[in-house]
Amino acid sequence: MKAENEQRTGLLYGFGAYGMWGLVPLFWPLLKPSGAIEILAHRMVWSLAVVGLALLALRRWGWIRELLRQPRKLGLTALAATVISVNWGLYIWAVNNEHVVEASLGYFINPLVSIAIGVLVLGERLRRAQWVAVGLSFLAVLVLAIGYGRPPWISLILAFSFATYGLIKKKLNMGGLESLAAETAVLFLPAFGYVLWLGAQGRSTFASHGVTHSLLLAATGLVTAIPLVFFGMAAIRVPLSTLGLLQYMAPVFQFGLGVLYFHEAMPPERWAGFSLVWAALVILTWDALRTARRSRVRLEVASAVLGTPAREPA
């Protein structure tokens, strides 16, 4: 009963995290006339403030000394911070320049790009269904490139930057709150310096557009930290296969907002490209569920033979 309650709580946290990530396109336009780089700089500054307070409340500081003693890990943290800042900055720019649908495509194809990186960088071997899914995603990009009259650069950069970020995070093996604190700490000085420079140039919007605008810019820290905290709470309570399914919530919400709320154009060729991506994701999800089910059956058989209780794989 306790395990069921934990899973139910984890699902709620997961829905909360991916729901907030899916609805965040509604937030960034509220920050106009701030530009994407100014919003990104404030996001870095205020995120560090939020996670710093959280770490202070939890008294989790021991990891800092350990991180500083490992130059390679520190370098990977700086690289992760750079990659995610590209991802965040481009996403903010895309939303505020009427490219919500194209941005959502980036997060739809992100799992497929992660698989491709796994093959090219980590030497992983793909199952047949995964090859089919990756092939469909390449065909989708080709169809969308013809439709847009150019490659869908926003989607591709968002997908590859986030997949690269995931690869670096896998090598770092740090907790969500700690890694966010480390990454925002690395970027705090350049971000804060940029905010001060904008103020000195008379181009800052922080103090020149009223208290509400200032509070909204400060809230970027909460908008960044809260979903990550929720995600961390979900990750320790539900299987990774469940989280893998929940991750599609965010781009589905973003796509819906782009079409229904922001009224972005969806000509037939874009529907065709998105349909190919969705078909690839259906195949990928089916293959993942089938593989997880087979693994669970093997585990149960092995446990029955050995006479030990089976534990569901994460």
Side-chain angles (χ1 to χ4, degrees):
M1 186 66 178
K2 184 179 179 181
E4 289 181 5
N5 288 336
E6 281 288 295
Q7 282 215 359
R8 193 176 297 114
T9 302
L11 279 174
L12 290 175
Y13 278 122
F15 280 121
Y18 286 108
M20 283 186 276
W21 280 326
L23 295 175
V24 79
L26 297 173
F27 178 72
W28 302 126
L30 300 177
L31 302 180
K32 292 179 179 180
S34 299
I37 304 301
E38 182 179 6
I39 296 172
L40 176 63
H42 277 282
R43 186 176 189 179
M44 293 295 180
V45 170
W46 294 107
S47 293
L48 181 60
V50 170
V51 295
L53 288 173
L55 291 171
L56 185 63
L58 296 171
R59 297 182 180 179
R60 282 158 54 177
W61 301 105
W63 60 273
I64 298 177
R65 188 178 298 127
E66 182 184 347
L67 178 62
L68 293 175
R69 288 174 179 171
Q70 302 179 62
R72 180 178 177 276
K73 203 168 185 178
L74 196 58
L76 284 173
T77 299
L79 182 59
T82 303
V83 171
I84 199 61
S85 65
V86 170
N87 183 276
W88 285 353
L90 179 60
Y91 183 76
I92 294 167
W93 179 88
V95 170
N96 284 353
N97 286 272
E98 301 179 354
H99 293 287
V100 177
V101 169
E102 191 175 350
S104 75
L105 175 64
Y107 294 105
F108 274 125
I109 66 175
N110 175 66
L112 299 159
V113 172
S114 294
I115 289 174
I117 288 179
V119 173
L120 297 174
V121 178
L122 302 179
E124 295 177 355
R125 298 181 65 182
L126 298 187
R127 296 181 293 273
R128 186 178 301 173
Q130 291 175 314
W131 277 116
V132 173
V134 171
L136 282 175
S137 70
F138 279 115
L139 180 60
V141 170
L142 180 62
V143 170
L144 288 165
I146 295 171
Y148 279 109
R150 58 169 175 80
W153 293 117
I154 294 172
S155 308
L156 293 173
I157 294 172
L158 287 175
F160 275 93
S161 60
F162 201 74
T164 303
Y165 178 69
L167 176 65
I168 299 169
K169 296 277 278 188
K170 183 176 181 179
K171 292 182 179 295
L172 277 172
N173 193 28
M174 290 175 64
L177 195 61
E178 291 85 352
S179 61
L180 179 62
E183 291 156 18
T184 50
V186 166
L187 293 169
F188 176 80
L189 286 179
F192 190 59
Y194 182 75
V195 170
L196 293 179
W197 179 80
L198 282 178
Q201 295 291 314
R203 296 166 55 191
S204 172
T205 64
F206 182 72
S208 60
H209 286 75
V211 175
T212 300
H213 185 73
S214 301
L215 291 174
L216 285 171
L217 281 173
T220 54
L222 292 172
V223 169
T224 300
I226 291 176
L228 282 172
V229 172
F230 276 30
F231 175 80
M233 299 292 279
I236 61 176
R237 287 175 169 83
V238 299
L240 288 178
S241 57
T242 304
L243 280 181
L245 293 175
L246 287 177
Q247 74 174 328
Y248 298 128
M249 277 181 59
V252 165
F253 282 12
Q254 293 163 11
F255 177 81
L257 287 173
V259 174
L260 302 175
Y261 182 81
F262 294 103
H263 303 293
E264 294 186 11
M266 279 295 293
E269 58 272 19
R270 290 185 196 171
W271 280 113
F274 270 86
S275 297
L276 286 169
V277 170
W278 294 332
L281 292 176
V282 168
I283 293 171
L284 196 64
T285 303
W286 168 78
D287 178 69
L289 292 174
R290 183 186 61 168
T291 303
R293 186 167 55 251
R294 287 179 175 176
S295 298
R296 187 164 55 249
V297 169
R298 290 193 196 103
L299 182 62
E300 289 171 354
V301 170
S303 299
V305 171
L306 296 173
T308 57
R311 295 180 62 187
E312 184 177 351

